[in-house]
Amino acid sequence: DTKEKIIVTDSVFSMDGDRADLTEIVHLAEKYNALTVVDEAHATGVLGHGRGLAHELGLEKRIDIHMGTFSKALGSFGAYIAGSSDITDYIRNKGRAFIFTTSLPPAVIGANIGALKWLKHNPDSGYQLLEKAENLRSALNEAGFDTADSSTQIIPVIIGDNFAVQQAGKLLEEANIKAGVIRPPTVPEGTARLRLSVRLDLDDEEIRHVVSSVRRLKNA
């Protein structure tokens, strides 16, 4: 019965690499007259021809606030918020973090614009990335590794034990593979993991190297 209601969600979750059920979230928001805020940080540049999961699902006009970052797939720095003029004017005038921040340097803004232009001319690059990620994920699954519900470029390899995942991270680093070593409280107890984030420039040989290196962890 609260008068003001807001539903806030990521579109792609950073630790499992799975996707939010935006269709159901938007349905609930419309049913209960709630604002929707969707953070496309891990979907920008990848899903929906680079525009994010909301665009891929045709929901962009039914979501009140879209936000994302230039610091991940777009390889730069800074972030954005998009919405109606009423919402963006309110944030400009009432958002303390925005009011007291410093503008981005011109070089960074130029890099952001350049990244958007590149994406506009390479709209299928995200799907090429997802194909590489699916190849890697399938190979890891075939080798018996748990990759949770990942369906994006973020692939967790669930190890479970905190000490074991630290050792696994060191072994991969020795093989020139940088994997995030993620432990509680960032993730639930018993789900410590290696976090792999696939890059578009990885070739088939490099992906095979990742798979073979992760496989060796079972014998470590």
Side-chain angles (χ1 to χ4, degrees):
D1 296 330
T2 303
K3 184 178 179 181
E4 305 296 341
K5 297 178 285 291
I6 304 176
I7 300 176
V8 182
T9 183
D10 286 346
S11 59
V12 172
F13 297 104
S14 63
M15 291 298 112
D16 281 355
D18 55 337
R19 310 180 192 199
D21 187 350
L22 284 189
T23 301
E24 180 62 18
I25 289 171
V26 168
H27 172 73
L28 287 172
E30 292 173 345
K31 180 178 179 180
Y32 293 102
N33 194 29
L35 287 173
T36 47
V37 180
V38 177
D39 186 347
E40 298 267 22
H42 296 282
T44 301
V46 180
L47 301 178
H49 298 292
R51 299 184 182 188
L53 181 59
H55 179 79
E56 182 169 290
L57 298 175
L59 298 171
E60 62 266 51
K61 293 183 179 180
R62 296 169 63 189
I63 291 169
D64 298 290
I65 300 176
H66 301 261
M67 58 188 293
T69 180
F70 290 97
S71 65
K72 293 182 169 58
L74 300 182
S76 183
F77 179 74
Y80 65 86
I81 293 177
S84 69
S85 58
D86 286 343
I87 288 174
T88 53
D89 285 346
Y90 181 84
I91 292 172
R92 285 193 189 98
N93 289 283
K94 297 292 185 179
R96 288 178 59 84
F98 179 80
I99 292 171
F100 295 105
T101 193
T102 302
S103 298
L104 292 175
V108 172
I109 295 173
N112 293 345
I113 293 171
L116 292 174
K117 287 181 177 178
W118 185 91
L119 192 60
K120 183 178 180 180
H121 289 96
N122 298 274
D124 293 328
S125 58
Y127 296 111
Q128 296 167 14
L129 174 64
L130 293 175
E131 183 178 355
K132 291 176 184 288
E134 178 57 29
N135 291 338
L136 175 56
R137 185 167 42 247
S138 295
L140 292 173
N141 291 154
E142 289 174 6
F145 289 97
D146 180 4
T147 58
D149 294 321
S150 169
S151 63
T152 64
Q153 75 281 4
I154 299 169
I155 304 175
V157 179
I158 310 298
I159 302 297
D161 180 75
N162 291 352
F163 178 76
V165 79
Q166 287 181 282
Q167 295 303 109
K170 291 178 181 178
L171 290 173
L172 289 186
E173 192 166 356
E174 291 173 1
N176 295 318
I177 298 168
K178 182 62 177 176
V181 176
I182 312 297
R183 294 161 291 167
T186 305
V187 293
E189 290 288 345
T191 68
R193 67 199 59 191
L194 298 169
R195 181 182 182 273
L196 304 177
S197 187
V198 182
R199 296 201 321 261
L200 182 61
D201 62 345
L202 291 178
D203 58 32
D204 292 342
E205 182 178 348
E206 289 170 321
I207 289 177
R208 285 193 294 269
H209 173 62
V210 173
V211 174
S212 63
S213 298
V214 175
R215 278 177 173 167
R216 292 193 195 102
L217 297 178
K218 288 193 171 184
N219 300 320

